[in-house]
Amino acid sequence: REEEVDEVVLAADRPALLFAAKFIPRKRAKDLVKAAQVLRSQTKQAFTVVLAGSGELEAELRGMVEEIMQSEGAAAPAGASS
């Protein structure tokens, strides 16, 4: 089975949050994305969120992240394009 693998480069000077699980409702990855958006708006501390996995919510999560990045004028994250 072929798998898409994206290389993630993390900055040494910023914290990173890693979500590594299936993208299914009970794992609540959407809650993490929403929480990261709130945290980003309330702090000056830069941080990175890495979502690693696949599943039924993958397209929805990609859409959420792309929408957030566009609203902030940031570049698309690694693996954001389908």
Side-chain angles (χ1 to χ4, degrees):
R1 167 175 118 174
E2 281 188 42
E3 303 225 3
E4 180 181 324
V5 177
D6 293 311
E7 184 175 316
V8 177
V9 178
L10 301 174
D13 63 340
R14 69 170 54 185
L17 302 169
L18 171 63
F19 177 93
K22 285 203 167 277
F23 297 152
I24 57 176
R26 72 183 175 106
K27 299 291 184 170
R28 302 181 67 176
K30 291 184 343 183
D31 289 345
L32 174 62
V33 172
K34 291 174 188 175
Q37 185 178 20
V38 170
L39 180 61
R40 188 175 187 119
S41 71
Q42 294 179 355
T43 184
K44 292 181 182 181
Q45 171 66 50
F47 62 92
T48 301
V49 177
V50 179
L51 301 173
S54 63
E56 65 188 77
L57 297 177
E58 185 171 351
E60 187 174 356
L61 288 165
R62 285 181 188 268
M64 289 176 70
V65 170
E66 288 173 0
E67 185 176 311
I68 292 166
M69 298 300 284
Q70 284 180 342
S71 72
E72 296 179 356
S81 60
S82 298

